Amino acid sequence: MHGWNGKILRVNLNKKTSAVQSYDKDFALNYLGGRGFAARILWDELPAGTDPLSPQNKLIFATGPLTGLPVASSGKIVVAAKSPLTNGYGDGNLGSRAAVTLRKAGYEALVVEGKADSPVYVLVEDDSVEIMDAKDLWGKGTFDAEDDLTATHGKSAGVLLIGQAGENLVKFAPVMSQKGRAGGRPGMGAVMGSKNLKAVVIKGTKDIPLADPDSLKELGKDAYKDIKGKESYDFWIRQGTMQALEWANESSCLPSYNFREGVFDEAKGIDGYKVEELKVDRRGCPNCNMQCGNVIKDVEGQEAELDYENVGLLGSNLGIGNLKEVALLNRLADDWGIDTISAGNIIGFVMEASERKLIPENYKWGSVDDARTIMEAIAFRKGFGNTLAEGVRHSAATIGKGCEKWAIQCKGLECSAYDCHAAPGMALAFATSSIGAHHKDAWLISWEIATDRSGYNKEKVAKLIELQQLRGGVFESLVACRLPWIEVGFALDWYPKFLKAATGEDLSMDNLKTAGDRIYALIRCFWKRENPDFGRSWDIPPERWFTEPLTKGPMKGTKVDREGYTRMQNWYYEMRGWDSNGIPTRKTLEALGLADVAGALHIA
Ligand code: PTT
Ligand code: SF4
C-alpha cells in the first residue's frame, strides 16, 4: 500500500504490552484515516455501554494519508474516545510534532487501552515501544511536563500530554501539545487521565511510503507558493483566527455575557487589531506556512497563545475587555490542560447564576480574578468546582431552578463562540454536529450571514450537510488543517491531487464526500448504541436562543423561530437519509456499506 503505512500500534497499559496490527486497503479507502479510523475502531471494539472513564474505553490517536507529508498544513492529529462529558462519540484535532512522528514511526494510529497501576507515559521510537514511569511528571502543568520530556528525549520528539485537569478527570480536559495546541474538547484528556497516562512521546525516522514522491514534492512546493500568494494571506499572518472577532461583533454573533447578546461594548479591547499591537511571537503546527498562533504577554508578563474561540469565550462571554487578562486565563487553561471553550462557557454560566443569586458566591462579570478562581476550582476540583468539572449540563441540572434554559450546550458539549439568536442554520449546525456543540464540522455561520441570515430554508440545510461532509468528514479523516481552504481560499481540488501522488488512488471530491457520509452515519449510530433514548430531541439548540431575543446590536429583537427550526431539522433528516427520529435508515446504511451496523442496531 502507498500513502498509508497500513499499521496501527496497540498499547495495553494493564498488560504492559504492545502489538502492531495491519489493516488493508479497503479499510483505508472506506475510512481514510483520523476520525474515520477512530469511529470504526470505537464502533467495532467498545462493548456497548462502556464507561468512558473505565479501562475498557480506548484512547485513539489517529492520523491520515496526508498527515506528515510536505503538503499544506499537514501536521495535525485526531484524538478520539467515547466521551465522558457527553457519553457519545468524542474527538478533537490538534497540531503537533507527534502527528508527523507517528507517521514516520510507521503507524497511522496509536490505540491505548487499559489502565496503568501508577502514572506512566508511552515512549514510541520507531519499532520500539516502552511504558515509562511518570510519577515525577504527575501533578505538573503541561508546560513544565513537556519541557521535562523534551529535555529527556530531544526536540525531535513529538509530545501529547495532559495537565492537572486531565489528571483530575475534568470532563472537558483536552489533550495538549507544544504549549498552546489543544484537541479533544469532549474530555479526551480526562480519558487519558483515567488511564494514568500522562503523556505519549513519539520519535520516528522512517520514510512514509509514497506512490509518486517526486510529484508529491513538486505539488507540495506549488501548494505552499499558492497559499503564500493569496490575497488574504498577509492579513491572516497578521491576525490569524483573531480576525473573526471584529466580524463576529459587527455581525452580532460574538457571545457576550453567557450568550445573552451577540455584541460586546468593549470588543475593541480584545480584537484582532489589539492582538497585532501586543503580539510578541507567532507559533503554529508543523508543515504549515500560514502559522496562526498569536502570542502576546499576559498581565503577569507570561506568554500566551490566543485564538478567536479562546478570546470569545474567556473575553466577551465573561464581560472581560482587556486582552492581557484574557491571555492570562488562556495561559492557565493551556497549562492546566482545560478546554478554553467549555471553561469560558461554564464560567459565564456561573457568573449569571451568581448575578441571579442562585449560588451563594458573589462573582462579577468582567472580573478576571473571579474567572480565574472559578477556573482553578474546576481544574483542581475544589468545592463547587467539583460539580462544574462535570460540564455545564450537569451543573445546571444540579442547581435546577430553571437554569437549564441558559446552559449553552448541545448533547452535553458546551457551545463554541458563535451566538445563534440570529443564525438559525448555525444553531442547527451545533445541534447536529457529531461531537456536540462544536463549530468544527460546519462553520455555516459566515455563509449564512452573507446570504439569507433570517431564512429557514432547504438551501441552508443542504449547505450545512455539504460542510459536514467536507469539514467533519474529509479534513478530519485525511488528516489536514482545513484553514488554508477556509481562510485563504486554497482550492479544494488540490487534495485529490495530493492523494493521487501519495496513495496512487484516484479519489475524487465526491468519493471523499461519500466517505464523509459513511463516517457521519457511523458516528450517529454510535451515539444511538450508547444512548438508547438518542433521537431528534437530542438535536435541539439551547433554549435561550428560542425564548430570549437579543436586546441590543444590529439584530436586536431576534431569536430563533421554533417552527422554522423544526422544519429545517426535518429537511436535514430527509436529505441525510435518516428517519424522522434522526436515525440512519437501513437503506442509507446499506448504501454506505454499513449493513452490519444496521444489523447491530436492529434497524429494519
Ligand atoms: C478546537 C478548539 C478550538 S477551535 C480552539 S480555538 W479555533 C480552542 N483552542 C484551545 C486552546 O488554544 N487551548 C485550550 N486549553 N483549549 C482550547 N480549546 C479550543 O479547542 C487549532 C486550530 C483552530 S483554532 C481551529 S478553529 C481549526 N480547527 C481544526 C479542526 O478542528 N480540524 C482540522 N482539520 N483543522 C483545524 N484547524 C484549525 O486548528 P478541538 P490546534 Mg484544536 C490555545 O481541537 O478539540 O477540535 O477543539 O488544534 O492545534 O490547537 O489548532 O478559533
Ligand atoms: Fe496549525 Fe494554524 Fe497552520 Fe492550521 S493554519 S496548521 S491551525 S498553524
Side-chain angles (χ1 to χ4, degrees), residues 135-292:
K135 281 196 206 82
D136 293 345
L137 297 173
W138 204 256
K140 285 194 176 178
T142 66
F143 295 177
D144 283 350
E146 184 157 355
D147 280 347
D148 288 358
L149 287 164
T150 308
T152 308
H153 298 290
K155 286 202 166 139
S156 64
V159 180
L160 297 155
L161 79 172
I162 54 170
Q164 297 94 334
E167 295 174 9
N168 294 331
L169 311 183
V170 173
K171 289 193 172 162
F172 42 91
V175 174
M176 305 293 302
S177 191
Q178 298 181 199
K179 304 183 180 180
R181 319 262 93 202
R185 293 192 50 218
M188 274 56 274
V191 173
M192 198 156 162
S194 75
K195 298 189 173 304
N196 266 332
L197 179 63
K198 179 71 180 179
V200 172
V201 180
I202 308 171
K203 292 169 97 168
T205 58
K206 299 180 194 172
D207 286 334
I208 300 165
L210 297 173
D212 187 347
D214 292 339
S215 299
L216 190 82
K217 208 167 156 195
E218 279 312 301
L219 270 172
K221 260 200 261 164
D222 292 348
Y224 282 124
K225 207 165 141 205
D226 186 70
I227 289 174
K228 231 174 169 169
K230 294 285 181 201
E231 209 184 316
S232 46
Y233 181 83
D234 289 342
F235 194 63
W236 173 260
I237 293 297
R238 279 165 49 193
Q239 296 202 355
T241 60
M242 284 300 298
Q243 67 185 15
L245 207 128
E246 300 91 88
W247 163 82
N249 195 46
E250 280 163 17
S251 310
S252 193
C253 63
L254 178 67
S256 306
Y257 303 96
N258 194 29
F259 291 79
R260 270 183 200 160
E261 306 293 346
V263 291
F264 180 47
D265 294 343
E266 296 168 56
K268 285 211 177 315
I270 56 169
D271 69 10
Y273 294 98
K274 196 71 191 175
V275 167
E276 285 193 53
E277 205 182 298
L278 298 176
K279 193 151 143 177
V280 294
D281 200 0
R282 189 155 67 85
R283 294 186 201 142
C285 314
N287 296 3
C288 179
N289 73 335
M290 45 177 278
Q291 295 207 319
C292 64

Side-chain angles (χ1 to χ4, degrees), residues 76 91-95 176 180-185 241 285 305 307-310 330 333-334 338-341 438-440 475-476 480-483:
K76 291 247 163 195
D91 73 12
N93 188 318
L94 70 157
M176 305 293 302
R181 319 262 93 202
R185 293 192 50 218
T241 60
C285 314
E305 191 178 325
D307 269 305
Y308 166 73
E309 302 292 329
N310 306 350
N330 197 148
D334 285 349
I338 194 166
D339 178 57
T340 50
I341 296 177
H438 194 28
H439 61 287
K440 92 153 118 208
F475 280 94
E476 292 316 299
C481 178
R482 58 168 192 260
L483 297 185

Side-chain angles (χ1 to χ4, degrees), residues 246-569:
E246 300 91 88
W247 163 82
N249 195 46
E250 280 163 17
S251 310
S252 193
C253 63
L254 178 67
S256 306
Y257 303 96
N258 194 29
F259 291 79
R260 270 183 200 160
E261 306 293 346
V263 291
F264 180 47
D265 294 343
E266 296 168 56
K268 285 211 177 315
I270 56 169
D271 69 10
Y273 294 98
K274 196 71 191 175
V275 167
E276 285 193 53
E277 205 182 298
L278 298 176
K279 193 151 143 177
V280 294
D281 200 0
R282 189 155 67 85
R283 294 186 201 142
C285 314
N287 296 3
C288 179
N289 73 335
M290 45 177 278
Q291 295 207 319
C292 64
N294 289 302
V295 181
I296 73 162
K297 291 213 168 155
D298 66 23
V299 266
E300 292 182 350
Q302 306 285 323
E303 289 189 352
E305 191 178 325
L306 300 171
D307 269 305
Y308 166 73
E309 302 292 329
N310 306 350
V311 177
L313 267 310
L314 296 171
S316 51
N317 198 47
L318 308 184
I320 298 177
N322 176 330
L323 196 63
K324 282 173 166 266
E325 291 182 350
V326 177
L328 169 71
L329 298 174
N330 197 148
R331 171 173 60 86
L332 294 172
D334 285 349
D335 196 22
W336 294 334
I338 194 166
D339 178 57
T340 50
I341 296 177
S342 291
N345 183 311
I346 294 173
I347 296 167
F349 170 83
V350 174
M351 285 178 167
E352 182 162 352
S354 172
E355 181 184 53
R356 290 171 180 254
K357 309 225 175 307
L358 298 178
I359 55 172
E361 292 82 0
N362 185 18
Y363 296 126
K364 290 271 175 288
W365 294 113
S367 164
V368 68
D369 292 337
D370 288 352
R372 180 188 184 143
T373 302
I374 300 166
M375 202 195 309
E376 188 165 357
I378 295 172
F380 295 89
R381 283 190 176 268
K382 291 194 280 192
F384 189 47
N386 193 36
T387 301
L388 302 175
E390 299 290 305
V392 79
R393 181 172 64 180
H394 175 90
S395 304
T398 306
I399 296 174
K401 301 171 192 159
C403 63
E404 294 89 344
K405 290 184 183 148
W406 36 271
I408 309 299
Q409 54 83 26
C410 304
K411 297 189 180 71
L413 181 67
E414 293 74 21
C415 290
S416 44
Y418 305 95
D419 183 83
C420 293
H421 280 90
M426 188 66 211
L428 184 66
F430 273 139
T432 57
S433 150
S434 51
I435 60 166
H438 194 28
H439 61 287
K440 92 153 118 208
D441 284 12
W443 191 56
L444 184 69
I445 194 161
S446 63
W447 178 89
E448 183 173 33
I449 287 175
T451 53
D452 173 16
R453 177 168 198 168
S454 48
Y456 295 78
N457 52 52
K458 282 191 175 173
E459 200 192 352
K460 226 174 235 195
V461 177
K463 186 72 183 176
L464 164 59
I465 293 174
E466 189 196 3
L467 289 180
Q468 289 177 338
Q469 289 169 324
L470 289 170
R471 296 170 56 119
V474 180
F475 280 94
E476 292 316 299
S477 303
L478 285 183
V479 170
C481 178
R482 58 168 192 260
L483 297 185
W485 164 51
I486 293 169
E487 301 292 354
V488 302
F490 183 62
L492 277 177
D493 56 18
W494 282 95
Y495 293 91
K497 288 192 244 169
F498 293 153
L499 278 170
K500 172 79 182 164
T503 68
E505 301 290 330
D506 283 306
L507 291 165
S508 66
M509 260 301 154
D510 282 344
N511 295 144
L512 295 173
K513 282 184 181 172
T514 302
D517 284 342
R518 179 175 302 115
I519 295 160
Y520 234 76
L522 179 62
I523 290 176
R524 193 80 186 171
C525 290
F526 183 85
W527 278 90
K528 178 70 183 165
R529 186 183 75 182
E530 301 306 311
N531 303 279
D533 64 336
F534 182 80
R536 63 178 298 139
S537 63
W538 289 54
D539 294 336
I540 303 296
E543 187 65 11
R544 165 159 280 170
W545 294 340
F546 288 114
T547 50
E548 296 174 30
L550 295 169
T551 68
K552 56 187 196 176
M555 301 306 290
K556 184 175 168 183
T558 312
K559 60 185 169 63
V560 178
D561 173 63
R562 209 182 294 271
E563 279 178 24
Y565 182 85
T566 305
R567 275 200 309 278
M568 289 206 299
Q569 193 182 0

